[in-house]
Amino acid sequence: FTPNMTRPVGSSSQLSHDVVLKGEFSNFKKILVGLGTLPYLEKIEEISIQQLTDSMEFKMKIWIAVK
């Protein structure tokens, strides 16, 4: 998980994170279900999936609630 620090936080109650994962689609599906159970996950804004030679790469932009 990498926080996206290119956008000013200011008084925002959310923080953007860029996530990159590699693996199989069935495991990615499990991660999405797990993310859905997190009360501090505000939203998943973007998902991209790319087939690599030996695995798949999953990129997401997620928003985390901050106090």
Side-chain angles (χ1 to χ4, degrees):
F1 293 87
T2 304
N4 186 349
M5 302 308 283
T6 59
R7 295 183 182 168
V9 175
S11 62
S12 176
S13 61
Q14 299 176 345
L15 182 60
S16 170
H17 283 267
D18 295 320
V19 180
V20 179
L21 305 166
K22 291 184 181 178
E24 296 185 22
F25 187 77
S26 60
N27 292 332
F28 180 64
K29 184 178 171 183
K30 292 174 188 176
I31 288 173
L32 287 177
V33 170
L35 284 172
T37 66
L38 300 175
Y40 49 85
L41 178 67
E42 291 290 320
K43 65 182 172 181
I44 299 173
E45 181 177 312
E46 185 178 306
I47 296 176
S48 73
I49 301 172
Q50 182 177 4
Q51 178 68 54
L52 304 176
T53 56
D54 59 342
S55 64
M56 295 184 84
E57 182 178 76
F58 308 95
K59 294 181 181 180
M60 297 184 290
K61 178 179 282 187
I62 62 174
W63 289 86
I64 304 294
V66 294
K67 292 184 177 184

